[in-house]
Amino acid sequence: MVGVADDQPSAPAPDTATVSGGHPVLSLALAAMMEDVHAHSGAVYLLGADPPVLEMAVMAGLPRAFAAPWERVTLHAPVPVADAVRERRTVWVGDEEEMARRYPRVAVVLPYPFALVALPVATESTAYGAVFLTWPGARATELSERELRRLTAACERLAVRLERAAAASVPVHPEPDLLAAPVVGGAPGTLGSLEAVRMVGRLPYGLCSLDLHGRVGFANPAAAELMGVPVAELIGTHLWTSVPWLNDPVYEDRYRAALFSQHATSFVALRPPGDWLSFRLYPTRTGLSVRISRARGVSRPGSAGAVPDGAAPPRLVTISQVVSLTGALSEAVGVRDVVQLIADEIAPTVGSQGLVVLGSRAGRLHVLGHRGYPDPRAVERFDGTPLTEPIPGAQVLRTGVPAFFESWEQLERLYPARRGTHDGFAAWAFLPLIASGRPVGTCVLAYSRPHSFTTEERAILTSLAGLVAQALDRALVYDAKYRLAHGLQDALLPHSLPLLPGVEAAARYLPATRGMDIGGDFYDLVPAGGAPVAVIGDVQGHNVTAAGLMGQVRTAVRAYTAVGQAPEEVVRSTNRLLIDLGTELFVSCLYLRLDAARGRATLARAGHPPPLLRRPDGRVEVLDVAGGPLLGIDPSAAYPCTEIDLAPGSLLALYTDGLVESPGADFEDALADLGHRLADAGDLPLDALADRLVRDEAGAEERPDDIALMLLRAKG
């Protein structure tokens, strides 16, 4: 990363050893910020350049295990520090409800009352990292202007020092976390403290002290007797390690809740065979005091069963990581999302630099996605390889057994067929992705240097592969349905508009981003002899049913037009057809017959938003013409026609409500805004104008509704 020059600007830059060993700049800066605003905990992240990943360099106030899922995060991760760096702004989260609303994946892992602020550590030109600080409970107000100003200034000073160090090529390394003093289990050093120990030893209930890591620093005889473990075996250990029946994530969660909220908390636990004990935890910033007594009148809680003797204790960091990744994977929709998530969150966490996700179809390997390979051909050459080939990617997918290779020599020795196919990496983990008992793919994690896979690491990677497999299985099904749905919609919408005498035309369609990105908005332009017809409509819903009904409506309109029905009759006949079909979906429609020779147009409207007309002089008006109800409601509904002037140079804009309606926006204001844009840009070529009118919606991350737009310009 970068180093820190702590001397005056005119002084020579210090060497690496002095900076990293003699001046814990990050720790001192973090401690000063926490002291200045009375924060409970905090951390400093440094931004690596390739790939751009934020790595926690030092943490204070709480064990690092609490933030384990976010020790390494990409700039696109949905967490406050990533937003602070990416957007160069201060991020404030006032309480657990706001955290759940804005950062649900953080709230799932840390469902406790606390407030948080994240700030970028950056100069005007370069981002170097981020800082976050937390307070227990919910703060009534945001940071004061003074607090925010002082924190911002502290981050700016730290950024300047990192900039100087980068210029001097002096690296900054992670520093020891700032926690309370280590566990001390020896004899007291003063007469007063010795008497305090004697006093506590005479109490009839148990007392013990835990440090911030949950290790026992002191226990009185009553605590040892109640838990059935000698004091000597408790000192220096975690309660859930030394006491088998406390080996339950529920009890660890109470410990975490007490430290995070700084509020006393409690739980009851069953000591086999039938003794219930009550544990009351009193937290401070240096650790916890625990009071243990017998509980009466309690029943066994279903969520906290005992763990058999000899079972391995669950690690807090593993629980946090699994919960966080499970939440993230549940948000992945398609295969591309799953691949991106692995690349952004899993690969950096385990130190991998390359990623390949493989699937199978018709007995052959298929590359579903890859990241980190400078030459894509190193991966893509395996696409289409038969599963019978003696290569690790195929064998792992075929057998469901993971394979780990700590060097290229090891891989080449076991798989001679890979000779001459080096991909530039030095170690690999081939993980089978098994969902519901069947392999759905292989995840390949590649490392730039030889890597020794410990037993624990292999177990963790295999477990993570199980989570990825479930997400990939859902994603494959979603993508198949997506292709089917879009194939249907592509077949139902016109691929191009016909060239008509006297009329220019352009159209755009944007699907909603919710559901399967498919809907019932449609448009069409029918030559129909000398009087061409334009139609635009909107079928209720965003699914395959809506798309299918849209196709039926479009076909019906074409058929009734072809037999020569008048505009009002075409709309009325289509309405009766929908009612005869018995569908529960309603349809809006605008039907327009053009007579370019006479400079006239005839409109029939069925519950559809009014079109806009731009006159040759640039004035725009809303054609709020008469019409009838939505199609599919009233079998006797009438749809009166309106004839309008369409002089050469006139421009008609037909659209669906997705272009002008959005939650919280006024329809009239949105329609007026569309009219202003049409007036300002109406002289552009039609394709450029169509792109201009849907530009904001096309770039939006979320579109709650489909959008269809058709532009018609009368030529002279």
Side-chain angles (χ1 to χ4, degrees), residues 444-667:
V444 185
L445 296 172
Y447 298 77
S448 57
R449 296 180 180 179
H451 185 84
S452 178
F453 296 94
T454 65
T455 302
E456 181 183 12
E457 187 175 6
R458 295 182 185 215
I460 290 174
L461 290 175
T462 303
S463 299
L464 292 177
L467 296 176
V468 171
Q470 298 295 329
L472 181 62
D473 192 36
R474 292 193 305 270
L476 289 168
V477 172
Y478 175 87
D479 281 356
K481 291 181 178 179
Y482 182 92
R483 288 192 296 270
L484 174 63
H486 276 258
L488 171 63
Q489 188 159 48
D490 287 344
L492 296 175
L493 286 173
H495 292 165
S496 61
L497 298 178
L499 297 176
L500 302 175
V503 178
E504 292 181 77
R508 295 293 183 268
Y509 173 77
L510 299 174
T513 57
R514 296 177 182 175
M516 297 186 67
D517 292 359
I518 184 173
D521 286 18
F522 66 95
Y523 60 86
D524 204 356
L525 188 60
V526 186
V533 165
V535 62
I536 192 167
D538 183 359
V539 180
Q540 176 189 8
H542 309 107
N543 49 37
V544 175
T545 302
L549 184 60
M550 173 264 284
Q552 292 176 300
V553 171
R554 180 170 169 249
T555 301
V557 169
R558 275 185 166 257
Y560 296 133
T561 298
V563 298
Q565 289 189 355
E568 65 271 22
E569 283 298 321
V570 172
V571 179
R572 191 158 53 236
S573 298
T574 306
N575 177 53
R576 286 196 298 267
L577 173 66
L578 285 179
I579 292 174
D580 292 342
L581 290 174
T583 178
E584 296 182 355
L585 301 179
F586 305 132
V587 181
S588 73
C589 179
L590 179 68
Y591 185 95
L592 185 147
R593 177 165 290 170
L594 298 165
D595 189 344
R598 295 176 52 236
R600 307 289 289 174
T602 305
L603 291 81
R605 189 159 69 103
H608 200 80
L612 298 179
L613 174 63
R614 185 181 189 272
R615 300 290 185 184
D617 60 4
R619 291 182 298 111
V620 174
E621 60 182 288
V622 179
L623 300 178
D624 197 5
V625 298
L630 294 167
L631 304 180
I633 295 179
D634 181 3
S636 61
Y639 298 93
C641 286
T642 302
E643 190 172 278
I644 63 170
D645 289 325
L646 199 64
S650 298
L651 174 64
L652 274 168
L654 317 181
Y655 56 92
T656 56
D657 54 8
L659 186 62
V660 291
E661 289 186 354
S662 59
D666 182 77
F667 174 79

Side-chain angles (χ1 to χ4, degrees), residues 196-244:
V197 170
R198 289 172 177 168
M199 179 190 72
V200 171
R202 291 191 291 265
L203 293 175
Y205 46 81
L207 288 175
C208 65
S209 174
L210 308 182
D211 69 5
L212 292 178
H213 290 288
R215 295 185 298 246
V216 179
F218 171 83
N220 69 350
E225 181 180 353
L226 285 168
M227 292 188 289
V229 178
V231 171
E233 296 181 18
L234 290 173
I235 299 299
T237 69
H238 297 91
L239 278 180
W240 42 87
T241 300
S242 302
V243 185

Side-chain angles (χ1 to χ4, degrees), residues 1-2 20 26-27 44 46 55-58 64 171-177:
M1 179 53 200
V2 294
S20 60
L26 304 179
S27 303
V44 177
L46 293 179
E55 284 199 70
M56 186 182 292
V58 62
R64 182 174 291 227
V172 169
H173 301 292
E175 298 172 4
D177 291 342

Side-chain angles (χ1 to χ4, degrees), residues 324-362:
S324 177
L325 291 172
T326 300
L329 288 167
S330 69
E331 298 173 5
V333 178
V335 171
R336 181 181 299 178
D337 295 335
V338 174
V339 174
Q340 191 64 48
L341 181 65
I342 301 171
D344 286 349
E345 302 208 19
I346 295 181
T349 300
V350 299
S352 169
Q353 290 77 41
L355 164 71
V356 183
V357 178
L358 302 170
S360 67
R361 187 169 62 249

Side-chain angles (χ1 to χ4, degrees), residues 81-137:
V81 289
D83 285 354
V85 175
R86 189 178 62 254
E87 300 171 13
R88 298 291 188 92
R89 65 181 178 89
T90 299
V91 176
W92 170 259
V93 183
D95 55 32
E96 57 187 322
E97 292 184 5
E98 186 178 0
M99 183 68 77
R101 184 174 67 255
R102 295 174 57 190
Y103 300 100
R105 282 159 53 182
V106 176
V108 167
V109 179
L110 301 174
Y112 314 119
F114 70 99
L116 177 145
V117 67
L119 305 97
V121 176
T123 62
E124 290 187 3
S125 60
T126 307
Y128 291 95
V131 169
F132 80 73
L133 304 174
T134 71
W135 293 262

